[in-house]
Amino acid sequence: MRRAVTEFGMLKDGDRIAVGVSGGKDSLVLLNGLALLRRFIGISYEITAVTIDPHFGGKAENYGAISELCASLGIQYKVVDTQIGEIVFDVRKEPNPCSLCSRMRRGALLGAAKELGCNKVALGHNFDDVVETFVMNLTIEGRLGCFPPVCTLDDRDITLIRPLVFAPEKDIRAAARRSSLPVAKSGCPADGSTARQRIKSELAEREKADRGFSERLFGALRRSGLDGWGFKEKR
């Protein structure tokens, strides 16, 4: 995380960061990591954790464990209730729900961040997410590209940062266990049956047969300089 923050200039003194916390391992490790990082990185910033509750199945989730974690870290915590689950699955009946759900949750998170006076939003995308998105864009959409490590949304005056982009999923899983973080299973009805999950499985099989395959894909993305991924000395 420190490497990503430094290389991509993600944090500055005085930043107020809204951390999107779903309850999954990535967002909890991100929250815990940012809380620990400010002790020694030499940058003064504030953190607020924000959970967007989509009310999957028409029910509110119990985020008590996350609230307790935030209290132990001295971090403000806000839960935003929405009807995203109902809109995506019951009203729209989306056959491929991830894109719409992601956009709606992102919009709700950005709105909450502005209300809380935050100038940055931290998202929990990891190394594996980067490679999977790169491959999905290439094989499904027929284009070269990926989400950027840092992105300023001028219309909202907010910057998105992704401090975990150098961290492999296996390391994040291990960090969550070591820190005894309250990881919760996703309540999404489509969990485990998405296009991303298919790409994840295919990449895992290729990695078994050709060790280092994902690292080479990541390296290709960085050398290309696409979407802000170029090496620091070439940006």
Side-chain angles (χ1 to χ4, degrees):
M1 183 180 288
R2 183 174 188 172
R3 176 187 164 200
V5 166
T6 301
E7 182 161 343
F8 294 110
M10 293 183 177
L11 298 176
K12 295 180 180 179
D13 284 332
D15 278 343
R16 293 176 58 86
I17 305 166
V19 182
V21 181
S22 65
K25 64 184 184 310
D26 300 315
S27 63
L28 290 174
V29 167
L30 172 65
L31 178 66
N32 193 51
L34 283 172
L36 296 174
L37 189 64
R38 61 181 174 179
R39 298 179 183 177
F40 61 84
I41 197 171
I43 302 172
S44 177
Y45 57 90
E46 297 180 27
I47 303 170
T48 296
V50 180
T51 294
I52 305 301
D53 188 347
H55 283 217
F56 289 128
K59 298 179 180 179
E61 295 288 338
N62 180 359
Y63 297 105
I66 299 177
S67 180
E68 291 177 6
L69 172 64
C70 290
S72 71
L73 296 172
I75 293 173
Q76 178 185 5
Y77 181 48
K78 180 179 178 63
V79 177
V80 179
D81 292 312
T82 74
Q83 283 72 52
I84 293 174
E86 179 184 1
I87 293 169
V88 173
F89 291 100
D90 300 330
V91 177
R92 294 282 295 268
K93 301 184 186 301
E94 289 285 324
N96 300 298
C98 295
S99 178
L100 177 60
C101 183
S102 176
R103 291 198 305 271
M104 294 183 71
R105 293 176 76 160
R106 183 72 52 79
L109 177 58
L110 291 173
K114 288 297 290 184
E115 290 179 7
L116 292 165
C118 297
N119 66 310
K120 289 184 177 174
V121 169
L123 304 173
H125 295 106
N126 60 45
F127 170 90
D128 295 66
D129 293 323
V130 177
V131 175
E132 289 158 17
T133 301
F134 182 49
V135 172
M136 288 175 69
N137 287 341
L138 177 63
T139 60
I140 297 176
E141 298 185 16
R143 66 181 179 88
L144 291 172
C146 186
F147 54 74
V150 177
C151 176
T152 298
L153 306 177
D154 293 329
D155 59 330
R156 291 181 179 262
D157 196 27
I158 283 183
T159 298
L160 302 181
I161 62 173
R162 295 175 167 94
L164 290 177
V165 289
F166 289 145
E169 188 172 12
K170 62 181 178 61
D171 291 349
I172 291 175
R173 190 178 296 111
R177 285 197 303 267
R178 285 197 305 270
S179 298
S180 300
L181 298 178
V183 177
K185 188 180 186 307
S186 171
C188 175
D191 187 44
S193 59
T194 62
R196 180 173 293 276
Q197 185 59 47
R198 175 175 61 80
I199 293 294
K200 182 186 289 289
S201 299
E202 291 174 359
L203 284 171
E205 288 301 315
R206 180 60 184 266
E207 188 68 30
K208 288 180 182 178
D210 185 6
R211 188 172 181 180
F213 180 71
S214 293
E215 286 281 358
R216 292 194 295 276
L217 285 177
F218 186 77
L221 174 61
R222 298 223 61 193
R223 286 187 292 275
S224 75
L226 288 168
D227 299 325
W229 281 102
F231 292 99
K232 187 174 183 179
E233 60 272 16
K234 296 181 180 181
R235 289 201 301 273

